[in-house]
Amino acid sequence: MEESYRRFARQIALPGFGIEAQRKLASSSVLVAGVGGLGGPLALELAAAGVGELTLVHEGDLTLEDLNRQVLMPEDGLGRPRAELAKEAIRRFSKTTRVHTISGFVRDLDLDALQPKPDLIVDCRHNFEDREALGLFAVRTQTPLLELAMYAFEGQVVLLDPPRTPCLFCLFPSFPSWNPRFGVLGAHAGLMGCLGALVAVSFLGMGVKEYYGILGLIRALPLEVKKIKLKKRPGCVCQAC
Ligand SMILES: [Zn+2]
């Protein structure tokens, strides 16, 4: 095995994985929108798996209330930009992955100007303005979009790849009103983040399509799992492309 891949030997040994999946991960770029309780553990697992480049987007500085779930953020980082703190945590863990950061809201970005261009977008945002911006960008550029969401002890995961699958706006023709300061336990956010990382890594490396156009609804307490095959919504924005 190539020396540079030695740290990944245990996953290369997985059935269906192998050196080819590792090479694909190494040449992949992922945009992780939101590196809080959900996206933070996800980003770390992407780096652990050997994804080549990560672009982390998150607004604002670290506050005391973030620390029950944003496990990439150290206590002595209070008052510092969360995107930078997440990058530092990932860099301490692995020098293999190149990490870029943007401190701000997704909706304020020129997503077309992103370098490198993402092979996959992961949406871990807690507000619908940012989700809408990512959803429109995914439709327009035909970039796969992994949607993750959670509320209380429930979570959702779906991989959208319009026009091959329905898009975000097939799923949500309109967005509900929303209080972004909902209650959240770090362990549950981490559970959904790690599931998202598993979906991302298996898709990018092995072409696995377990959640491809299929909405996974996972309630952790009490445990309940459902899968729903999504349908394209007539007249949706994704059908104008
Ligand atoms: Zn659509």
Side-chain angles (χ1 to χ4, degrees):
M1 185 182 300
E2 296 167 42
E3 187 60 29
S4 59
Y5 285 168
R6 186 178 292 277
R7 77 179 278 160
F8 307 111
R10 294 293 296 274
Q11 67 195 42
I12 288 170
L14 279 166
F17 203 95
I19 204 84
E20 193 53 38
Q22 198 60 56
R23 287 200 181 103
K24 285 179 182 169
L25 289 178
S27 64
S28 294
S29 170
V30 179
L31 170 65
V32 182
V35 286
L38 187 58
L42 179 143
L44 187 62
E45 290 292 354
L46 295 186
V51 168
E53 299 207 50
L54 295 176
T55 301
L56 313 178
V57 185
H58 208 110
E59 78 288 351
D61 298 335
L62 184 66
T63 69
L64 197 58
E65 287 186 16
D66 297 326
L67 292 176
N68 82 314
R69 64 197 182 283
Q70 300 190 6
V71 293
L72 297 193
M73 317 290 171
E75 209 171 284
D76 61 8
L78 288 169
R80 292 189 51 217
R82 286 181 288 179
E84 284 303 314
L85 292 168
K87 176 180 179 176
E88 289 169 14
I90 292 170
R91 293 289 292 158
R92 275 195 297 277
F93 178 75
S94 172
K95 303 286 189 288
T96 304
T97 299
R98 289 187 65 194
V99 184
H100 314 273
T101 59
I102 301 170
S103 190
F105 287 101
V106 171
R107 57 182 178 265
D108 296 330
L109 303 181
D110 178 3
L111 293 170
D112 291 298
L114 281 178
Q115 288 295 337
K117 300 276 181 210
D119 299 299
L120 175 69
I121 303 162
V122 185
D123 181 3
C124 300
R125 299 307 296 139
H126 65 292
N127 67 75
F128 287 112
E129 293 88 347
D130 282 359
R131 287 188 184 265
E132 181 177 20
L134 292 169
L136 289 171
F137 178 72
V139 168
R140 184 161 44 79
T141 59
Q142 299 192 5
T143 307
L145 173 67
L146 176 58
E147 278 287 316
L148 291 161
M150 52 176 294
Y151 185 78
F153 295 112
E154 298 177 13
Q156 298 184 0
V157 55
V158 62
L159 183 55
L160 302 169
D161 192 13
R164 288 163 286 276
T165 74
C167 78
L168 181 62
F169 308 100
C170 292
L171 182 58
F172 293 107
S174 61
F175 293 119
S177 61
W178 182 252
N179 173 14
R181 291 179 57 78
F182 59 91
V184 54
L185 188 65
H188 185 244
L191 172 75
M192 292 305 300
C194 287
L195 176 59
L198 179 63
V199 175
V201 167
S202 62
F203 175 68
L204 290 169
M206 304 158 69
V208 169
K209 294 184 174 178
E210 178 69 19
Y211 292 91
Y212 197 73
I214 296 171
L215 178 65
L217 300 169
I218 297 109
R219 186 203 301 263
L221 285 178
L223 181 62
E224 189 179 312
V225 179
K226 289 184 194 165
K227 288 166 71 177
I228 300 170
K229 186 167 174 41
L230 299 180
K231 292 180 179 164
K232 290 189 179 181
R233 185 174 60 83
C236 182
V237 64
C238 63
Q239 282 149 63
C241 298

